[in-house]
């Protein structure tokens, strides 16, 4: 049975002098010891215990085996004073940790914290004290102490001790923005808004930031971030650096100090050079079509943007702060206008500055033209025009100097009040020959703008490629036949030219084709007969009016010799030999056979100074065969005599023989046949020979010629022999007949 009494007890030797016996209206009665000890460090202790609703009490427990009280110090249950206490240990703490309790005197008490064990013995008054030096404490951390008690009877007790929180590490703090350590600079805008410094650190720690003897205080947020803002008045404007001191203190009193630098730069400037665009502050057309570079000065490292005529370009800034901005060809709009140049600079701190100036844009130069067909109305300078000088004209902006070029020559002239100009290039300024010459006209206005006009003119002083074929015939000799057929001279000339050929005082117009080939036909009547050298003058006039001539010479040889038969030797009725006048190797003999064929009878030829040239036939020529004696000179002029050898011969078999057309029959010899009777017409005479329209007839009184449409024209002596002359027809055909021959007309 438990008895509760309300009376004063003798507490010596058994309980704490501070304990009282109280009655608790609870279901169980347990011993509770709450010594009124000294307050714990850091605000923990009796006040903390009281806050937990615990008051110092003692419960006396007795059993029915024993009467009276338990002897002091014997059989006591060990206790730990204030086991829920918390002992904070900071880095600045030098005092040891003291843990106390009660128990059976002589008991061994072991207090364990971290890896350290502090052993003490319970004193005779039943109390014990364990003092743990700071140097014996484990590293930073939260530690629950354990109290192990072994009493003299060998009983072991495990008790919970107070908690020891060790924090000896100074709190860390780091700047994340606002100072030099992180590369930040306070610019003008930031200074005006109030410079802000931010960072990270130990949550809950206090933090002081001091600049220029001004301190801003804050507490580090639960997420470890912090921020302080200084009043603009605390941070003066300018360019300078000032010390930043950061002090952080955690709740254990640990403290850390950091040094940093606040870099302040609230100033910057930019200027524009006063003279731009070649020094005259005027952008002309040539400059606008090239690179226009504007210059000035800014803070080294600044970003500079330059705007001209609404076009913006970034500038390059060198280490000395000199900047230049280039506007590429075509970037500046053309025209005549004034434009502001604005420059905006932003330095590395973010400060901005601007400047402006004025610039004139003038890319309009005026006008200049060259008159259409400026030279001689056809843009062609011929030799005559060159010699007289060439005038070129046009228009330009009134009052401006016009530079006019022709080829490599140059003249200058001022445009009159109406804008007209003209200049003359003398012969010495113009090259000779054929070429295409450029014409230029240019002006330069007061700001250097240039405009020009171009044209071309043809210099044509020569007739190009005037040539004549060197040989008019294969041997360049015009013989009788070639003259009769007509002679053609030909060559080349400049296209579009006209050509005239003059021979023996007669001028002939040549034909010129589209390719520049010319030809001129010379009729026989325009080329005199004879043996001589003819000279042709070829004169060409090209489209430009240039005249050029050249000459060509060639031989004319229209002389020929008609063979004269001296004797015919017969063997029976056949011809054995024939003799001709003169000694020459140009004679040949052909036979006109009765069957219409022509053969050359085999004969030996003897040259005799008395008897002339004798042909002795290997086989006598049969009776009735007519012979043709032919003479041909070096010019291939050939003339033949037809020897009629058949008595009573008529046209049949003689003048109408099929082989006659291959010969030029200029003479008929009737002396070696009897009673020959022939009829002749104008056509017959022309058909016999192509050399001329003249036929000579040799014969005797027994021979008769009947000539149609003939007229007696007197007599003519040829080589000392007299012939009767007749004109036949109306085309100049002539017939010469031995006076012995009977002629019927």
């Amino acid at each position: 049975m438990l008895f509760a009494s309300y009376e004063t007890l003798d507490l010596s030797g058994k309980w704490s002098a501070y304990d009282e016996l109280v009655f608790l209206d609870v279901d169980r009665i347990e011993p509770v010891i709450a010594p009124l000890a000294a307050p714990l460090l850091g605000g923990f202790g009796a006040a903390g215990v009281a806050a937990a609703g615990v008051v110092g009490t003692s419960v006396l427990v007795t059993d029915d085996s024993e009467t009276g009280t338990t002897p002091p110090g014997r059989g006591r249950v060990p206790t730990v004073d204030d086991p829920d206490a918390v002992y904070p240990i900071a880095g600045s703490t030098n005092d040891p940790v003291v843990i106390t309790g009660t128990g059976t005197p002589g008991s061994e008490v072991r207090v364990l914290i971290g890896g350290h064990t502090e052993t003490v013995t319970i004193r005779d008054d039943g109390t014990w004290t364990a003092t743990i030096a700071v140097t014996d404490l484990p590293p930073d951390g939260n530690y629950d102490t354990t109290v192990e008690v072994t009493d003299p009877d060998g009983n072991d007790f495990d008790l919970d001790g107070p908690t020891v929180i060790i924090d000896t590490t100074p709190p860390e703090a780091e700047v994340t923005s606002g100072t030099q350590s992180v590369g930040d600079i306070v610019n003008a805008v930031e200074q005006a808004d109030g410079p802000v410094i931010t960072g990270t650190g130990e949550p809950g720690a206090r933090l002081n930031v001091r600049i220029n003897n001004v301190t801003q205080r804050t507490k580090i947020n639960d997420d470890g971030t912090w921020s302080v803002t200084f009043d603009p008045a605390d941070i003066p404007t300018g360019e300078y650096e000032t010390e930043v001191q950061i002090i952080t203190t955690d709740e254990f009193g640990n403290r850390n100090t950091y040094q940093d630098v606040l870099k302040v730069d609230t100033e910057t400037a930019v200027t524009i050079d006063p003279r731009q665009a070649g020094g005259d502050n005027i952008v002309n057309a040539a400059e606008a079509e090239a690179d226009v570079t504007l210059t000035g000065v800014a803070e080294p490292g600044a970003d500079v943007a330059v705007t001209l005529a609404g076009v913006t370009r970034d500038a390059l800034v060198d280490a000395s702060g000199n900047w230049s901005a280039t506007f590429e060809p075509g970037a500046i709009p053309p025209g005549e206008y004034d434009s502001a140049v604005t420059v905006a600079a932003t330095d590395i701190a973010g400060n901005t500055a601007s400047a402006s100036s004025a610039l004139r844009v003038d890319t309009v130069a005026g006008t200049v033209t060259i008159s259409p067909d400026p030279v001689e109305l056809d843009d062609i300078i011929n030799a005559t025009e060159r010699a007289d000088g060439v005038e070129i004209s046009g228009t330009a902006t009134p009052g401006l100097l016009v530079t006019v070029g022709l080829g490599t020559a140059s003249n200058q002239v001022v445009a009159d009040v109406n804008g007209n100009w003209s200049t003359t290039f003398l012969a010495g300024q113009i090259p000779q020959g054929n070429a295409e010459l450029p014409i230029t006209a240019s002006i330069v206005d007061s700001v250097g703008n240039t405009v020009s006009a171009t044209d071309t003119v043809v210099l044509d002083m020569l007739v190009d490629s005037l040539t004549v074929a060197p040989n008019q015939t294969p041997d360049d000799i015009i013989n009788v036949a070639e003259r009769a057929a007509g002679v053609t001279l030909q060559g080349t000339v400049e296209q579009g030219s006209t050509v005239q050929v003059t021979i023996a005082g007669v001028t002939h117009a040549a034909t010129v084709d589209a390719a520049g080939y010319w030809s001129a036909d010379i009729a026989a009547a325009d080329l005199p007969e004879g043996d001589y050298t003819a000279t042709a003058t070829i004169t060409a006039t090209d489209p430009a009016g240039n005249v050029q001539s050249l000459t060509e010479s060639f031989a004319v040889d229209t002389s020929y010799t008609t063979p004269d038969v001296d004797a015919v030797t017969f063997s029976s009725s056949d011809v054995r030999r024939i003799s001709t006048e003169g000694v020459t190797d140009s004679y040949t003999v052909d036979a006109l056979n009765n069957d219409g064929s022509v053969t050359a009878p085999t004969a030996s030829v003897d040259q005799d100074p008395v008897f002339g040239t004798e042909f002795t036939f290997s086989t006598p020529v049969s009776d009735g065969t007519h012979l043709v004696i032919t003479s041909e000179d070096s010019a291939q002029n050939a003339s033949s005599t037809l020897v009629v050898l058949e008595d009573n011969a008529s046209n049949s078999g003689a003048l109408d023989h099929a082989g006659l057309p291959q010969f030029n029959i200029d003479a008929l010899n009737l002396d070696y046949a009897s009673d020959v009777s022939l009829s002749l017409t104008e056509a017959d005479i022309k058909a016999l020979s192509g050399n001329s329209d003249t036929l000579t007839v040799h014969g005797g009184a027994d021979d008769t010629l009947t000539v149609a449409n003939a007229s007696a024209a007197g007599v003519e002596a040829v080589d000392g022999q007299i012939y009767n002359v007749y004109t036949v027809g109306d085309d100049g055909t002539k017939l010469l007949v031995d006076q012995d021959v009977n002629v019927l007309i």
Side-chain angles (χ1 to χ4, degrees), residues 324-687:
S324 63
T326 299
F327 292 79
E328 71 278 8
I332 300 175
E336 293 181 88
Y337 56 91
D338 294 316
S339 175
V341 179
T342 59
V343 182
T346 303
D347 67 10
I348 58 177
N351 299 303
T352 61
S354 63
S356 64
S357 66
L359 197 64
R360 176 72 176 171
V361 177
D362 184 352
T363 62
V364 180
T367 61
V368 64
T369 68
I370 300 172
S371 298
D373 297 328
V375 178
E376 305 298 338
L377 301 180
D378 60 0
D379 280 349
I380 299 175
I381 303 173
N382 63 25
T384 301
E385 293 164 345
R386 174 186 177 276
D388 294 340
V390 173
E391 182 181 76
I392 300 175
S393 62
T395 64
T397 302
L400 289 185
L401 182 68
V402 183
T403 300
V404 185
L406 175 60
T408 59
S410 178
N411 289 346
Q412 288 187 323
V413 62
V414 176
D416 65 21
V417 293
N418 297 316
N420 298 311
W421 59 265
S422 66
T423 185
T424 298
F425 289 84
L426 302 178
Q429 295 178 283
I430 306 171
Q432 298 189 32
N434 290 0
E436 186 174 82
L437 302 179
I439 300 175
T440 60
S442 61
I443 59 174
V444 181
D445 68 8
S446 60
V447 300
N449 291 311
T450 299
V451 66
S452 62
T454 62
D455 203 341
T456 57
V457 64
V458 174
L459 177 65
D460 188 347
M461 297 179 57
L462 302 175
V463 180
D464 285 340
S465 304
L466 178 59
T467 66
V468 62
N471 294 328
Q472 312 313 310
T473 63
D475 58 2
D476 208 26
I477 300 173
I478 307 301
N479 60 25
V480 174
E482 292 164 343
R483 172 183 173 275
V487 176
T488 299
L489 276 70
Q490 57 188 2
T492 61
V493 74
E494 183 178 328
Q495 296 176 357
S497 299
T498 61
V499 177
Q500 292 181 323
V501 179
T502 301
I503 297 179
V506 179
T507 299
H508 308 270
T511 299
V512 182
D513 66 15
Y517 292 98
W518 65 265
S519 63
D521 295 329
I522 311 300
D526 296 327
L527 192 63
E529 295 180 309
D531 294 341
Y532 61 92
T533 298
T535 299
T537 300
I538 298 97
T539 302
T541 303
D542 68 9
N546 297 301
V547 178
Q548 185 175 343
S549 297
L550 54 80
T551 59
E552 173 65 12
S553 296
F554 53 89
V556 177
D557 184 353
T558 61
S559 298
Y560 56 88
T561 300
T562 302
D564 193 7
V565 178
D566 280 344
V568 175
T569 303
F570 292 91
S571 174
S572 296
S573 297
D574 298 331
V575 178
R576 178 65 179 172
R577 181 183 296 113
I578 188 170
S579 299
T580 64
E581 289 184 355
V583 177
T584 176
D585 59 1
S586 64
Y587 288 167
T588 58
V589 178
D590 290 283
L592 301 181
N593 302 313
N594 292 331
D595 60 3
S597 64
V598 178
T599 59
T602 303
S604 60
V605 180
D606 295 321
Q607 302 288 340
D608 187 278
V610 176
F611 300 105
T613 301
E614 294 182 335
F615 291 86
T616 301
F617 302 108
S618 301
T619 300
V621 177
S622 62
D623 183 24
T625 300
H626 305 303
L627 297 178
V628 178
I629 314 302
T630 301
S631 172
E632 184 174 339
D633 61 17
S634 59
Q636 298 180 346
N637 292 311
S639 180
S640 302
T641 297
L642 172 60
V643 181
V644 177
L645 297 176
E646 181 182 6
D647 294 338
N648 301 311
S650 64
N651 286 35
S652 177
L655 297 186
D656 59 359
H657 193 278
L660 277 182
Q662 61 185 285
F663 302 100
N664 284 316
I665 305 299
D666 292 308
L668 297 177
N669 191 313
L670 311 177
D671 288 333
Y672 302 102
S674 301
D675 301 319
V676 175
S677 180
L678 301 176
S679 297
L680 294 173
T681 65
E682 180 183 16
D684 292 334
I685 296 171
K686 288 184 175 183

Side-chain angles (χ1 to χ4, degrees), residues 718-732:
V718 179
D719 293 334
Q721 185 173 347
I722 303 301
Y723 295 91
N724 292 324
V725 179
Y726 301 90
T727 59
V728 183
D730 56 3
D731 197 24

